[in-house]
Amino acid sequence: VFVLDSLSAGPELRLLAERLRDLVRIGMEFDEICEAILAYHKHTHLVFSLESLANLARNGRVKPAVAAVARMLCKTRGEHGALERIVLELKDHGFTDGKVHIAHCDNPEAAKRLKLMIHAVFAGAQVDVTECGGLCSYYAEQGGLMVGFEDGEAEA
C-alpha cells in the first residue's frame, strides 16, 4: 500500500490520477510507480479564484482572521483581472505547454474565457474545462474556479 498525501483538491488530484493511470497502463512496477508519482507531484500545482473564503474559514481550512483580513485587503479586481492573474500564476510556476484542468462552480463562461486566455499565451497547452464536484463546489462557492496544472519540468 502506498499513500500519497496530495495536500490538494479537485483539478490537481485529477492530474495525479491520470498520471497514475498512465503509469499502470505502461506496465511499470509498483515501486517505480510510487517513485514516479512523487516526482510528478512536485511539478503539479493548484490555483483558485474564489468569491470568498467564508466556507473555508467555517470549516477550519483557513483561520477566520485570515479570511477577514483577506476580505478587507483584497480589492475587487473584477473577473477579467482575476483570470489574468491566474495566467500569470501559471507563468510564474513555470508552465509551458502541459496539461491544465479548469473546474468551475456554475461559471462556465469564466472557465471558457480562461481557457482562451491560456491558449493565447500557451498555444500548445492541453486545457479542458469541467464542473466542480460536490466538495470542491462547496469550497469554491458560486462562481469560483479551481485550476490544476503541471509545470514545465513535469516529465511527459
Side-chain angles (χ1 to χ4, degrees), residues 19 23 28 35-37 39-40 43 150-156:
R19 179 57 60 102
L23 296 173
M28 261 192 176
E35 187 177 312
I37 200 65
Y40 179 67
H43 301 288
E150 54 187 24
D151 64 34
E153 294 184 37
E155 52 199 63

Side-chain angles (χ1 to χ4, degrees), residues 29 57 97 111:
E29 295 294 323
D97 284 335

Side-chain angles (χ1 to χ4, degrees), residues 18-40 155-156:
E18 289 171 349
R19 179 57 60 102
L20 282 169
R21 176 203 60 209
D22 295 344
L23 296 173
V24 169
R25 282 184 179 166
I26 63 172
M28 261 192 176
E29 295 294 323
F30 180 80
D31 290 339
E32 293 173 310
I33 291 172
C34 296
E35 187 177 312
I37 200 65
L38 286 171
Y40 179 67
E155 52 199 63

Side-chain angles (χ1 to χ4, degrees), residues 48-120:
F48 299 84
S49 173
L50 305 177
E51 292 297 317
S52 80
L53 298 177
N55 284 343
L56 291 170
R58 273 193 290 274
N59 289 286
R61 303 287 184 194
V62 173
K63 293 182 180 186
V66 171
V69 169
R71 190 171 42 252
M72 290 185 322
L73 293 178
C74 295
K75 302 287 183 213
T76 304
R77 296 175 168 219
E79 192 169 85
H80 186 75
L83 299 180
E84 284 180 334
R85 184 67 211 158
I86 290 173
V87 174
L88 290 173
E89 284 294 319
L90 267 66
K91 277 185 176 180
D92 290 348
H93 280 90
F95 180 78
T96 52
D97 284 335
K99 291 181 181 180
V100 179
H101 293 315
I102 302 169
H104 67 86
C105 184
D106 200 25
N107 197 353
E109 298 81 16
K112 182 178 179 182
R113 280 194 299 280
L114 179 58
K115 180 178 179 176
L116 292 172
M117 291 170 76
I118 292 169
H119 277 141

